[in-house]
Amino acid sequence: MRLGEGLGIRAVRTWLPETVETARNAVELGRITEEDLANTQVFEVPVSHDVPAPDMAVRAAERALAAAGWEGARLGFTAHAWIHHQGHDFWSPAHYVAHRVGATTGVPLGVQVMCNGAGTALEAASARLLADSSVVAALVTTADRFADEGFDRWAGDYGVFYGDGATALLLHRRDDAVDELTLLGLSSAAVSAAEGLHRGRDEFTPASRWLGERVDVKRTKKAYITDVGLDGFFQGTHTALRQIVTDSLAEAGIAREDRRLRLLTLPRVGVKVQRDTYHAAVDGLTKAEIVQLGGRTGHLGAGDLAANLASIMEGDLLNPGEMALAIGAGGGFGFTCAVVARPGP
């Protein structure tokens, strides 16, 4: 996506529950093994016992709007992304978030593309800002809560521990005087032939959790790997990952060898999954250092890309003028790479 001189990220924030569960405790309870912990290297995850996912999104949005000094009523577009149950079966959480933050005249969009929700929603918000001059700001939120009743956050997937939390990002036309980050490039790619990794051999069902009390990602992945194998999956995903990195930089007019490229962030999955799926594709592709930011949160559903941008700001990981690449990914499969810079000389 060509962004011209770029768009401004006025503020990006997370909202995470204060309560956590530790991986060590999960080992002691027999929910995971020592090998699982070694392959993941996520040591704790935030857990919401009473705040539903859409309300977490509202809290993250309130933080972002307050940091930006922006009123919800001035939002012309909102997008909310998620991967897991949002609290009602037949309902729009995107409209709920817009309602609760006061975006009563803006257009809400719900984004359900698995774990690349933040990247896809960011693209939608960017496109709306570029195409419609009447929209002066757009809000992107994500939120997921993996309650034990429907999802085993520790053992429900291979190499991924799932944390509860929400993110919010306020996007507008660039203003380096007030923006926390500048969005310079944005590129996405899909490997739709790999959608079966999350479908496996399962039949189509008339309602959610028809085949079991909990979502079982391992069942579908095991069936897919047995039937299809992973060689084609890795070939397709590695090609897509290299494409989004090179395309986003090219569209921003930035050379891959540019030493201002300081960091590259990956989805907050386990280190073995990162090594096999991501490092194999992007190691050495740029001068950016690959950093791991999810050791204390685990995978935040649709929110990893935005959460990584928030962590860059919270940790003061970029000097003025330096840039980062943030990669998002989700089942289906879809991938997005955002090129951001910290305003400055």
Side-chain angles (χ1 to χ4, degrees):
M1 177 179 289
R2 296 191 179 277
L3 303 177
E5 294 299 315
L7 295 170
I9 298 176
R10 183 80 171 254
V12 57
R13 294 292 185 274
T14 59
W15 188 89
L16 305 177
E18 294 182 359
T19 305
V20 301
E21 291 183 7
T22 67
R24 175 53 53 196
N25 185 59
V27 171
E28 292 170 354
L29 293 174
R31 299 180 69 179
I32 58 173
T33 67
E34 292 284 358
E35 184 180 8
D36 293 329
L37 178 53
N39 287 337
T40 306
Q41 293 186 31
V42 170
F43 304 105
E44 65 182 31
V45 297
V47 175
S48 172
H49 293 297
D50 54 3
V51 182
D55 281 334
M56 291 194 290
V58 171
R59 295 185 184 191
E62 289 172 344
R63 286 185 174 179
L65 292 170
W70 202 273
E71 296 180 358
R74 298 173 63 196
L75 293 168
F77 180 82
T78 61
H80 176 65
W82 69 95
I83 72 169
H84 194 45
H85 184 64
Q86 295 287 287
H88 296 278
D89 292 329
F90 200 62
W91 174 72
S92 172
H95 287 74
Y96 175 84
V97 174
H99 175 209
R100 290 292 305 275
V101 301
T104 54
T105 61
V107 177
L109 175 69
V111 177
Q112 220 290 344
V113 290
M114 300 293 284
C115 304
N116 194 35
T120 302
L122 183 59
E123 269 204 336
S126 299
R128 189 59 183 262
L129 279 167
L130 293 170
D132 187 349
S133 61
S134 70
V135 176
V136 295
L139 178 72
V140 172
T141 60
T142 73
D144 279 294
R145 177 177 178 242
F146 301 97
D148 284 348
E149 290 80 1
F151 199 108
D152 187 338
R153 69 177 71 249
W154 294 107
D157 199 353
Y158 292 114
V160 186
F161 301 155
Y162 289 74
D164 301 341
T167 70
L169 182 153
L170 182 64
L171 191 69
H172 70 151
R173 289 176 179 80
R174 179 176 177 177
D175 184 348
D176 288 353
V178 297
D179 292 335
E180 293 184 345
L181 294 166
T182 306
L183 180 63
L184 296 173
L186 197 59
S187 179
S188 293
V191 185
S192 298
E195 54 79 24
L197 196 67
H198 290 87
R199 178 172 52 83
R201 303 183 193 130
D202 287 359
E203 63 190 64
F204 287 91
T205 61
S208 63
R209 303 215 304 270
W210 189 266
L211 300 177
E213 294 181 355
R214 287 178 171 176
V215 175
D216 187 353
V217 185
K218 286 183 176 178
R219 180 183 68 244
T220 64
K221 287 186 174 180
K222 183 177 181 179
Y224 179 89
I225 294 167
T226 300
D227 295 344
V228 180
L230 284 178
D231 289 345
F233 170 78
F234 283 131
Q235 181 179 355
T237 56
H238 293 169
T239 298
L241 285 163
R242 286 189 286 268
Q243 176 186 331
I244 60 174
V245 170
T246 55
D247 286 356
S248 60
L249 288 171
E251 290 172 359
I254 300 164
R256 288 189 295 163
E257 300 79 16
D258 195 317
R259 294 191 177 277
R260 293 174 298 170
L261 289 167
R262 175 79 179 276
L263 305 172
L264 188 153
T265 69
L266 298 174
R268 297 184 175 197
V269 294
V271 293
K272 185 178 187 302
V273 177
Q274 287 188 345
R275 183 171 62 248
D276 294 345
T277 305
Y278 300 97
H279 283 261
V282 301
D283 270 352
L285 198 56
T286 72
K287 295 294 185 181
E289 174 191 0
I290 299 175
V291 293
Q292 159 72 319
L293 298 176
R296 298 294 177 185
T297 68
H299 183 42
L300 295 173
D304 283 0
L305 186 151
N308 285 340
L309 295 181
S311 291
I312 286 172
M313 293 307 303
E314 292 165 4
D316 199 23
L317 301 183
L318 290 179
N319 294 318
E322 291 183 332
M323 296 177 285
L325 297 157
I327 291 177
F333 264 72
F335 303 92
T336 296
C337 181
V339 184
V340 299
R342 185 168 180 180

